[in-house]
Amino acid sequence: MSDATWDVQDGAIVERPRNVRKHPLLHRIYERHDELLAEQLPPGRTLELAFGQHMHPRADVGLEGWPSNVETVRKPALAGDARALPFADDSFDALIGRRFLHHVPPADRPEIIRESARVLRPAGRIALLEGTPGLYRRLTKGVAFRLGLLEEDTDIYGHLSETAVTDLVSESFEVAEKRTLGSPLMLASISESDASARLLNLYERTQFVKWWTLVVGERPESGA
């Protein structure tokens, strides 16, 4: 892969993510998302799928499709495919997926959810955060790409609607939480100015735009 920043492996997009810290407001938003995810996780061993270059603070183990990303984290991690998890049944109490399912062909997404249920213990939880293709998101990102404010668009499969994420999770889990996240201030998250981070409180108070969907599922005690 050398100098490439993304590739296609068996139909799935794998990439070396951009440095989010260059965008202070977006970095703060992502940190807030991590807090929201952590609030939904039970205690115990946690697996994260497709962690990019930064694993979630609650993750104990990570699985990543871009091999060099595995070398950037300090926690145990391995390169692999989320469609065939290299872990035994009932190995984890929680599983995290942040902004990655949209890089997987739609036909393969149910297998990832089934594999997630397999490696989770009964009453274990999956927490997924995915981009939601609301009108504001489509318009804003479209303009940003045309103006060259965003890097190359690798979202070739499109983002998942709130219903699509929920339906996927509900096939193998009982849905415990569902939340739509997003603010008109997302446009300011493109900024590389440190001053943009001061908008976080206002961003938090204006959560009425569809931009991301958080869905949490719990594996039934009787098994998935």
Side-chain angles (χ1 to χ4, degrees):
M1 296 178 187
S2 60
D3 296 330
T5 59
W6 67 284
D7 195 7
V8 180
Q9 295 180 8
D10 296 325
I13 303 298
V14 293
E15 62 182 347
R16 183 170 61 236
R18 68 187 185 281
N19 183 3
V20 176
R21 288 181 171 83
K22 291 173 57 179
H23 308 277
L25 176 58
L26 184 61
H27 184 213
R28 293 290 303 277
I29 292 170
Y30 278 13
E31 287 181 329
R32 180 60 182 137
H33 287 174
D34 286 351
E35 293 170 4
L36 292 174
L37 288 164
E39 290 170 3
Q40 296 293 331
L41 301 179
R45 194 163 181 247
T46 299
L47 168 67
E48 180 168 17
L49 304 181
F51 55 81
Q53 295 182 326
H54 305 282
M55 286 175 63
H56 189 280
R58 275 289 308 274
D60 298 293
V61 181
L63 184 87
E64 169 60 32
W66 189 273
S68 65
N69 288 341
V70 173
E71 302 168 2
T72 67
V73 294
R74 297 180 181 178
K75 296 181 180 182
L78 65 159
D81 192 329
R83 294 167 291 193
L85 295 176
F87 304 106
D89 297 358
D90 304 338
S91 295
F92 298 95
D93 299 285
L95 186 147
I96 300 168
R98 297 179 295 174
R99 302 173 290 270
F100 88 97
L101 273 180
H102 62 284
H103 284 322
V104 179
D108 293 347
R109 293 167 186 164
E111 187 59 33
I112 292 177
I113 303 302
R114 286 190 290 268
E115 278 288 277
S116 298
R118 179 183 65 78
V119 302
L120 282 172
R121 300 184 180 103
R125 282 194 165 196
I126 181 173
L128 296 177
L129 181 69
E130 279 296 320
T132 301
L135 178 60
Y136 181 77
R137 180 188 179 110
R138 291 195 296 269
L139 291 175
T140 301
K141 294 196 75 172
V143 171
F145 279 119
R146 284 195 293 273
L147 294 178
L149 299 175
L150 291 177
E151 299 170 4
E152 183 180 5
D153 187 2
T154 60
D155 299 334
I156 62 177
Y157 297 120
H159 285 273
L160 287 77
S161 68
E162 179 182 358
T163 300
V165 183
T166 306
D167 287 350
L168 273 173
V169 172
S170 63
E171 289 182 9
S172 299
F173 296 89
E174 296 174 353
V175 175
E177 176 75 16
K178 181 176 67 174
R179 188 180 307 183
T180 299
L181 303 166
S183 161
L185 291 176
M186 278 308 304
L187 185 59
S189 68
I190 298 173
S191 173
E192 297 185 11
S193 169
D194 291 338
S196 67
R198 300 172 190 163
L199 296 172
L200 182 66
N201 288 337
L202 183 57
Y203 169 89
E204 289 277 273
R205 295 197 299 268
T206 55
Q207 293 287 292
F208 55 83
V209 169
K210 284 188 176 183
W211 198 281
W212 288 287
T213 297
L214 169 65
V215 177
V216 180
E218 185 168 295
R219 181 181 165 187
E221 291 282 356
S222 58

